Amino acid sequence: MVDIVVWVVLGLLFVHVVLPSDPQKFARRVDLDLASAPADRVARRFAWRNRGIRIGGSTGIAAGAAIAVAVDLRGDQGPDLGPLLVLGGAMVGIAVALLHSSSQSLGPLPADEPRIARTSVPVVGDYVPAAESWLTRAAVLLGIVAVVALVLVTTAGLVDVSPAAPTVLVSALVALAAAGALVGVELWSRRLVDRPQPAGSVQELAWDDALRAATLRDAVAAPLALGVAAVAMAFGILADGAQSMPWANAVVAASGVVFWVVLLGLLTFGLVSIAVKPDRHFRRRLWPELTPTAPAPTDGTR
Amino acid sequence: MLAIDPRSATPPYEQLRVQVIAQITSGELAGGARLPTVRRLADDLGLAANTVARAYRELEADGFIETRGRGGTLVRAQGDHAQVAVQEAARAYAARVQALGVSAADALRYARAALEG
């Protein structure tokens, strides 16, 4: 129980202090100029975004912690699922809140001001790097496969865990939630990208793209986190349940190998991802020639 | 990028039409490129859907774009169709010149003056 409290505190620090972004830092990350942007509209978008991260993240953490406590109170033996549930809950809560806040309208632009629009039709791939999308799908698939394997192994009695044990049920629910979150995020992403982007200047449209990209990439983190959590839970339960079996060493070793392969894969992906600056993916796709302080076009041609 | 200035004396549909043509003839919009839906562009630019629909209709009539139902609105192979449209206009001009009994030399002189003026 104390462990869960520690993870909840860490999670709350993460969503209240680390994740909320400062417009200036964000501008540097995406290489856009804040000074030439419509300050009030960008500030309002940031306020919504940060509020979504805080409220959604806190709610998700509370839900994850509640499930972890419920499993813990039953007194069943098994690995500690608290950290994974808190992490998964935070990511799902943030994704739901961000996708909801992204549907809020900033109100109409002044009717007598010039308006701009692009002639191309952006797609989700213009905002989210393909590698991130595929990694998320792979993680969810891996999570489902791992949980199915866990259910089969427990049903066959190869480990000392009942297939109806709360830990097994929770891991199955997490895998299902990962699949649901993946479908939901992909559908909602398309809807978000199809929404109008009223803008009075190139900078305003570029900022809208930047915030869209950030929202979509944050949302993708939810199914990714749940998929990884499902894999970790399944192998944790397997390793724990094999302790009293003759093949305990083999199962623990196999679980360890899978754990390190997944961890190293994620770390490698993270490093490569950071190296190619995914925050600027939308810039490369939609604004390859935009300089941070580009003036708005006056003749409508670019 | 398209820009619509509501304070301009040029009607919005004409601003839109001229800019799309400019992008097609300059090669910025290549043949086969998909244009936004009427509704999406109207929402983005703060125009009535009818205004965008009118611009699209005229662009389609001039052979710059084509509508393919669910396939959306696409830019037609640019250079060829612009050339075709100009040739059609030239043919219509020639027919009018002949009907009015104006000499070819004079008609060419008028056309050159119009193009250079």
Side-chain angles (χ1 to χ4, degrees):
Chain A
M1 189 72 80
V2 176
D3 287 354
I4 291 175
V5 173
V6 171
W7 286 109
V8 166
V9 170
L10 287 175
L12 290 174
L13 278 174
F14 187 60
V15 299
H16 283 266
V17 179
V18 179
L19 278 185
S21 34
D22 166 54
Q24 291 289 354
K25 281 184 193 166
F26 185 82
R28 281 196 294 275
R29 275 209 329 260
V30 297
D31 191 27
L32 285 178
D33 183 40
L34 194 58
S36 60
D40 55 335
R41 293 172 76 87
V42 169
R44 229 178 307 163
R45 292 281 294 270
F46 259 93
W48 284 346
R49 180 179 162 74
N50 288 339
R51 193 171 54 197
I53 288 172
R54 292 191 178 106
I55 296 174
S58 302
T59 308
I61 286 170
I67 296 170
V69 168
V71 172
D72 205 38
L73 285 178
R74 283 180 57 96
D76 294 291
Q77 297 298 311
D80 182 12
L81 304 183
L84 295 170
L85 288 169
V86 167
L87 171 73
M91 291 302 165
V92 172
I94 289 170
V96 170
L98 286 181
L99 289 173
H100 173 70
S101 70
S102 69
S103 65
Q104 304 291 310
S105 168
L106 279 176
L109 288 165
D112 58 343
E113 292 293 319
R115 294 274 286 264
I116 66 156
R118 56 166 58 93
T119 43
S120 59
V121 182
V123 294
V124 175
D126 291 324
Y127 298 98
V128 182
E132 289 184 12
S133 299
W134 283 109
L135 177 81
T136 304
R137 290 170 193 154
V140 171
L141 184 65
L142 207 58
I144 292 169
V145 169
V147 169
V148 169
L150 171 68
V151 171
L152 290 176
V153 167
T154 52
T155 306
L158 296 175
V159 290
D160 187 21
V161 180
S162 161
T167 50
V168 176
L169 293 178
V170 168
S171 65
L173 283 177
V174 169
L176 278 177
L182 180 65
V183 173
V185 164
E186 294 212 350
L187 289 177
W188 205 315
S189 296
R190 283 181 207 165
R191 280 185 59 188
L192 179 62
V193 170
D194 284 341
R195 284 199 191 119
Q197 291 182 285
S201 69
V202 165
Q203 286 293 335
E204 186 170 0
L205 187 57
W207 267 97
D208 191 73
D209 284 334
L211 289 163
R212 270 189 176 190
T215 297
L216 293 173
R217 292 186 59 239
D218 286 341
V220 160
L224 176 65
L226 289 172
V228 171
V231 174
M233 283 179 185
F235 280 93
I237 295 165
L238 273 179
D240 201 64
Q243 297 291 341
S244 58
M245 297 296 186
W247 46 81
N249 288 341
V251 172
V252 170
S255 298
V257 168
V258 170
F259 174 78
W260 282 109
V261 166
V262 170
L263 189 66
L264 287 175
L266 285 174
L267 276 176
T268 307
F269 178 82
L271 289 173
V272 171
S273 182
I274 289 167
V276 299
K277 293 186 167 55
D279 290 325
R280 297 185 187 180
H281 173 76
F282 82 96
R283 288 285 315 263
R284 294 189 286 271
R285 294 289 292 260
L286 298 172
W287 301 98
E289 292 165 11
L290 178 72
T291 53
T293 53
T298 52
D299 61 353
T301 57
R302 187 170 63 117
Chain B
M1 199 58 64
L2 299 167
I4 298 296
D5 186 351
R7 292 167 298 196
S8 168
T10 309
Y13 87 89
E14 184 63 11
Q15 293 182 48
L16 184 56
R17 194 183 72 85
V18 167
Q19 288 176 46
V20 172
I21 290 174
Q23 291 190 24
I24 291 173
T25 52
S26 72
E28 193 177 331
L29 274 174
R34 198 156 69 93
L35 292 175
T37 61
V38 167
R39 189 175 169 187
R40 169 71 189 264
L41 198 53
D43 286 342
D44 282 353
L45 292 171
L47 301 173
N50 281 343
T51 304
V52 176
R54 180 177 177 185
Y56 273 20
R57 267 199 311 275
E58 297 202 3
L59 286 165
E60 187 163 21
D62 289 341
F64 287 103
I65 63 173
E66 59 184 319
T67 305
R68 289 187 187 169
R70 289 194 159 205
T73 305
L74 307 177
V75 173
R76 292 184 74 171
Q78 45 182 316
D80 295 341
H81 289 283
Q83 297 290 336
V84 167
V86 170
Q87 286 168 35
E88 283 173 358
R91 274 198 292 273
Y93 176 63
R96 183 80 174 138
V97 166
Q98 286 171 352
L100 291 172
V102 177
S103 71
D106 283 345
L108 287 172
R109 192 159 47 85
Y110 298 145
R112 181 168 289 111
L115 287 168
E116 292 172 353

